């Protein structure tokens, strides 16, 4: 790769990341405001009902993300090829597979899912009708999301992050309007909320479809008859799907276990923790959204070392970004939740802190997953990672059943399983790429993030004891915390090559502005 091309890729990555960050900041403010209004309007019990029922389907958005990654992987691979590129063929084959999957999942939801909802979940009898409305609306929203998934993948594969940012921003504004409309509704708030969110999903999905069909030629329909192509995509997608299904069962299954042992209010606390995790993770996910196409394209162009370098850098900087956002929240969680929600369920503070720690660990694996997708070899990974994550459920059930311990231990189990999964990914990557991953990753990523975390936490805890617990104090605390983390990253977290690259970029920007 030429130096000019590398510089061009870095500029595009930086531009796309900045665009997504601006969008995410606005989405974050809207999301936090919406959450406060939703909790206040629905109440703790109905909020818990929505999170256990709607979340049961909403967590299948992990499937949607997996499908985006699958379609995007094939499109990126084709776009990264020097010759014989067939993005239109791969897009249409993926679209057919998505339609078939939507039909299958709809059938499963309406049989097994409906039976489980009405016979096993711990939901107050008087709210069962509303719970069924939530379930049906969530199913329809999810199915429409699956159908629009290939179009989202096309948008990201072409790195049109400005359009992606505008559409997701539009979605957040629509969701805020939905919350405000709850106050005007003469009907059941929970039912109204579910129906309106379904309408938003249809409008947003339709926007992706219309935009992509007008702009990208590969979205024009052609009948693909290549059975081997279908078989290859389906094998890849189904293998990736099984891995995601294991993640869903581990997370949502844990919600069900918590519901069985501790009741509906614990689901409200976990819902708040998920909101905080999602808000903080959005910033980092946007960075990965901008980076992932480059990892895959480099691998497709046989620049495997460059792809590995981007993978390591992505893992490390994703962790650092999340640390900057999450550490002040973890330390001052009680005051922040009180300021944000006024009244919140028991265990919400502990769940927020442990949930953010869990998210930090998960981010170390995101770029590794992209590297695995780029190789196209997922069978071994799916069996090992999926099987490991499924251990979450029996372990959690036995722990709560035999010991009667506090619900926070659910996160201890999740965190332990994630650490094991990270080690397994690194070992498998070494096997399928014939490159060294485990030891270099420990040296270049794990060691640096550990030192940065330990030093930052030690210093910020000292600062926390000196600053008062009020709004001005919170602003000062966040500002000083960010400064401490950034300085620590600069001196310990980055390699000399990364420091030189950043200094060069800053110097060039200053030179252009002057």
């Amino acid at each position: 790769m030429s130096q000019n091309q590398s510089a061009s890729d870095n500029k595009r990555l930086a531009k796309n990341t900045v665009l997504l960050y601006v969008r995410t900041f606005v989405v974050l403010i809207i999301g936090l405001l919406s959450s406060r209004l939703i909790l206040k309007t629905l109440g703790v019990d109905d909020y818990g009902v929505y999170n256990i029922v709607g979340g049961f389907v909403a967590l299948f958005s992990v499937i949607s993300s997996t499908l985006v990654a699958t379609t995007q992987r094939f499109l990126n691979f084709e776009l990264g090829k020097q010759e014989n590129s067939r993005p239109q063929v791969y897009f249409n084959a993926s679209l057919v597979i998505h339609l078939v999957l939507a039909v299958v999942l709809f059938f499963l939801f309406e049989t097994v899912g409906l039976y489980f909802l009405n016979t096993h979940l711990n939901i107050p009898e008087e709210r069962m009708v509303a719970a069924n409305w939530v379930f049906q609306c969530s199913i329809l929203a999810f199915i429409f999301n699956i159908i629009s998934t290939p179009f989202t993948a096309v948008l990201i594969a072409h790195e049109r992050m400005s359009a992606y940012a505008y559409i997701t921003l539009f979605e957040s504004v629509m969701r805020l309007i939905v919350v405000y409309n709850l106050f005007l509704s003469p009907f059941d708030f929970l039912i109204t909320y579910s129906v309106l969110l379904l309408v938003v999903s249809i409008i947003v999905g339709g926007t992706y479809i219309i935009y992509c069909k007008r702009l990208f030629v590969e979205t024009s329909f052609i009948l693909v008859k290549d059975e081997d192509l279908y078989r290859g995509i389906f094998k890849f997608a189904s293998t990736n799907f099984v891995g995601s299904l294991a993640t869903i069962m581990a997370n949502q299954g844990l919600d069900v276990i918590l519901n069985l042992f501790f009741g509906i209010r614990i689901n409200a606390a976990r819902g708040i923790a998920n909101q905080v995790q999602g808000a903080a993770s959005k910033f980092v996910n946007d960075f990965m959204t901008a980076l992932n196409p480059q990892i895959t394209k480099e691998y497709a162009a046989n620049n495997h070392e460059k792809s590995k370098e981007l993978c390591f850098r992505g893992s490390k900087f994703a962790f650092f970004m999340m640390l900057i956002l999450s550490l002040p929240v973890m330390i001052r969680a009680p005051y922040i939740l009180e300021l944000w929600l006024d009244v919140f369920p028991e265990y919400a503070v502990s769940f927020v802190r442990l949930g953010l720690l869990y998210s930090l660990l998960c981010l170390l694996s995101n770029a590794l997953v992209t590297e695995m997708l780029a190789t196209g070899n997922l069978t071994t990974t799916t069996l090992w990672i999926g099987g490991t994550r499924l251990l979450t459920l029996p372990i959690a059930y036995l722990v709560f059943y035999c010991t009667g311990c506090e619900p926070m231990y659910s996160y201890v189990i999740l965190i332990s399983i994630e650490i094991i999964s990270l080690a397994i990914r690194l070992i498998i990557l070494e096997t399928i790429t014939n490159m060294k991953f485990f030891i270099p990753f420990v040296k270049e990523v794990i060691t640096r993030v550990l030192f940065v975390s330990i030093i930052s936490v030690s210093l910020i805890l000292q600062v926390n004891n000196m600053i008062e617990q009020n709004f001005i104090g919170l602003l000062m605390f966040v500002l000083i915390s960010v400064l401490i983390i950034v300085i620590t990253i600069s001196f310990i977290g980055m390699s000399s090559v990364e420091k030189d690259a950043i200094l060069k970029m800053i110097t060039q920007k200053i030179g252009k502005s002057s």
Side-chain angles (χ1 to χ4, degrees), residues 422-437:
L422 174 61
I424 292 173
R425 279 196 183 92
L426 291 169
I427 293 170
I428 293 174
L429 269 173
E430 285 199 349
T431 304
I432 63 180
T433 63
N434 293 319
M435 294 190 293
K436 294 294 183 182
F437 264 88

Side-chain angles (χ1 to χ4, degrees), residues 187-461:
F187 306 108
D188 185 288
F189 285 163
L190 186 55
I191 294 175
T192 303
Y193 182 59
S194 304
V195 172
L196 291 177
L197 284 185
L198 170 60
V199 173
V200 170
S201 296
I202 293 172
I203 292 173
V204 171
T207 303
Y208 278 116
I209 293 172
I210 293 170
Y211 180 87
C212 290
K213 286 191 74 66
R214 288 185 175 181
L215 202 63
F216 305 119
V217 66
E218 59 263 37
T219 59
S220 300
F221 181 75
I222 57 172
L223 184 61
V224 180
K225 298 181 180 180
D226 188 340
E227 292 183 7
D228 290 335
L229 179 64
Y230 277 114
R231 196 176 294 113
I233 295 177
F234 183 77
K235 180 181 178 182
F236 187 92
S238 58
T239 304
N240 203 11
F241 172 81
V242 170
S244 295
L245 189 62
T247 301
I248 291 164
M249 291 178 67
N251 281 280
Q252 189 59 30
L254 194 59
D255 276 350
V256 173
I257 290 173
L258 287 170
N259 176 264
L260 295 176
F261 280 97
F262 302 102
I264 201 68
R265 287 184 167 239
I266 206 69
N267 296 116
R270 186 147 153 87
I272 290 169
N274 289 338
Q275 286 276 340
V276 175
Q277 283 177 250
S281 298
K282 273 186 172 65
F283 285 94
V284 186
N285 290 338
D286 287 342
F287 168 71
M288 293 309 301
T289 299
L291 177 66
N292 286 340
Q294 293 191 25
I295 294 176
T296 305
K297 288 174 183 177
E298 292 294 347
Y299 196 92
N302 290 320
N303 298 322
H304 293 174
E305 283 297 332
K306 178 65 175 178
S307 180
K308 175 184 168 184
E309 179 188 330
L310 288 172
C311 176
F312 279 26
R313 192 170 296 170
S315 295
K316 184 168 61 174
F317 280 96
F319 184 95
F320 289 153
M321 290 177 191
M322 187 67 173
L323 188 69
I324 291 171
L325 294 167
S326 62
L327 196 50
V329 177
M330 291 168 73
I331 293 174
R332 293 229 165 174
Y335 178 75
I336 290 173
L337 287 182
E338 183 181 347
L339 183 67
W340 171 32
L341 300 172
D342 191 21
V343 178
F344 49 86
E346 188 181 4
Y347 298 114
V349 171
S350 299
F351 278 16
V352 165
R353 285 170 169 165
L354 291 168
L356 288 171
L357 178 58
Y358 174 66
S359 294
L360 278 165
L361 290 171
C362 289
L363 285 170
L364 289 173
S365 295
N366 278 10
L368 297 176
V369 172
T370 303
E371 187 78 10
M372 285 178 172
L373 290 172
T375 67
N377 191 338
L378 292 180
T379 305
T380 305
T381 306
T382 299
L383 290 174
W384 279 97
I385 299 297
T388 303
R389 283 189 162 162
L390 285 177
L391 291 175
T392 303
L393 300 183
I395 292 173
Y397 189 89
L398 288 173
V399 166
F400 291 130
Y401 182 79
C402 297
T403 67
C405 62
E406 295 290 304
M408 291 88 72
Y409 282 89
S410 59
Y411 278 100
V412 175
I413 297 168
L414 281 173
I415 289 168
S416 302
I417 293 294
E418 185 58 34
I419 293 172
I420 296 171
S421 298
L422 174 61
I424 292 173
R425 279 196 183 92
L426 291 169
I427 293 170
I428 293 174
L429 269 173
E430 285 199 349
T431 304
I432 63 180
T433 63
N434 293 319
M435 294 190 293
K436 294 294 183 182
F437 264 88
F438 196 99
I439 300 300
F441 191 85
V442 170
K443 288 181 178 178
E444 296 174 31
V445 180
I446 300 294
T447 303
R448 290 184 185 275
V449 302
L450 271 177
F451 275 112
V452 168
S453 300
I454 292 170
I455 293 171
S456 297
V457 169
S458 301
L459 294 174
I460 291 171
L461 284 175

